[in-house]
Amino acid sequence: MMMTAEPSFTYDGDYMKNSGYFLNDAQVSSPEISPENVNVPGRIGLLNMGNDIGARQITLEITLNCSSQEDFNEKRLYLENLVILQEPVEKPLILDTDTKWTYYGQFTALSDFEWINGYDHKVTLTFSCSDPLKYGEQYDVPIADGLLTITPHGQQKTSPIFSAIATADNTWCGLSSYDQYVYVGGKIDVESGEEALDVYTPVLQ
């Protein structure tokens, strides 16, 4: 993977390098993992219930490139607001050092600002992910006549999302696999029993 000479990060769609924030180091912790066992009376040993997967934390050490004291004050205020004025919504984070993955979380801690030189400072941000998984890029697979093969690119069990939009009068839509099927009926004219009432609207999502 090609890395930029001065890496940064993208938060909620905003590339932070454009605002003067540069990524010195990023430490992505492993999720908190603890085994879950149940004591069953009369049984030798414990009953293994698998692992309990907890949260993940990402520590970002960043540099603020500032042209003046006012510029530093604005950049500092922005970072403080990332922690203080959080909405209860986790947003995407992509690191320049590993652009293949997207993490979802929120900033939960901000260290003291450390002066470097001029008006430049460095600081450490903590990004907490209640969902410990990292997500690759979503991709679309067009459906043509015949058998469709979908190959997941990750390691986690997943299911595809199918969307269908009627492009002509239609009363039903169906989707089947080897062992499952979905049949969706649309609203039709009760008198004729055939003509669709809603054309060019989603009937399967």
Side-chain angles (χ1 to χ4, degrees):
M1 182 185 69
M2 184 75 68
M3 287 179 51
T4 59
E6 296 179 311
S8 185
F9 59 99
T10 301
Y11 175 66
D12 195 24
D14 293 331
Y15 189 42
M16 304 304 291
K17 186 175 183 178
N18 295 334
S19 299
Y21 300 95
F22 296 87
L23 182 64
N24 302 329
D25 187 35
Q27 296 294 330
V28 181
S29 70
S30 298
E32 302 168 359
I33 301 176
S34 58
E36 290 293 330
N37 299 306
V38 177
N39 184 23
V40 180
R43 175 191 173 103
I44 298 176
L46 300 174
L47 178 62
N48 177 28
M49 302 297 292
N51 289 330
D52 181 22
I53 311 298
R56 181 197 296 271
Q57 283 195 339
I58 303 175
T59 303
L60 307 177
E61 181 186 290
I62 64 175
T63 292
L64 286 65
N65 278 10
C66 306
S67 58
S68 64
Q69 182 65 44
E70 182 179 1
D71 186 28
F72 166 68
N73 292 342
E74 292 179 356
K75 286 183 170 61
R76 178 180 62 183
L77 179 61
Y78 174 80
L79 295 181
E80 290 173 344
N81 286 340
L82 284 182
V83 178
I84 299 173
L85 303 180
Q86 280 285 355
E87 302 173 359
V89 177
E90 294 188 314
K91 298 179 179 180
L93 173 73
I94 303 174
L95 307 173
D96 276 1
T97 51
D98 192 4
T99 57
K100 183 178 179 180
W101 305 111
T102 300
Y103 302 90
Y104 289 87
Q106 62 183 14
F107 290 103
T108 55
L110 179 70
S111 71
D112 292 334
F113 289 84
E114 182 179 343
W115 177 77
I116 302 176
N117 59 62
Y119 298 101
D120 296 345
H121 291 71
K122 66 179 181 179
V123 69
T124 299
L125 280 165
T126 301
F127 189 76
S128 299
C129 310
S130 62
D131 178 359
L133 299 180
K134 52 187 180 180
Y135 294 85
E137 183 180 1
Q138 178 177 306
Y139 62 97
D140 297 331
V141 179
I143 300 178
D145 293 337
L147 182 65
L148 173 66
T149 301
I150 300 177
T151 304
H153 292 176
Q155 291 78 43
Q156 189 71 14
K157 182 179 179 180
T158 186
S159 298
I161 299 174
F162 293 94
S163 299
I165 298 178
T167 57
D169 288 351
N170 187 32
T171 60
W172 64 273
C173 183
L175 176 71
S176 65
S177 63
Y178 289 111
D179 56 355
Q180 295 178 328
Y181 70 90
V182 176
Y183 178 90
V184 179
K187 295 180 181 179
I188 61 174
D189 188 328
V190 294
E191 294 184 359
S192 67
E194 296 179 355
E195 296 180 4
L197 295 181
D198 298 322
V199 184
Y200 299 104
T201 57
V203 294
L204 173 63
Q205 181 80 27

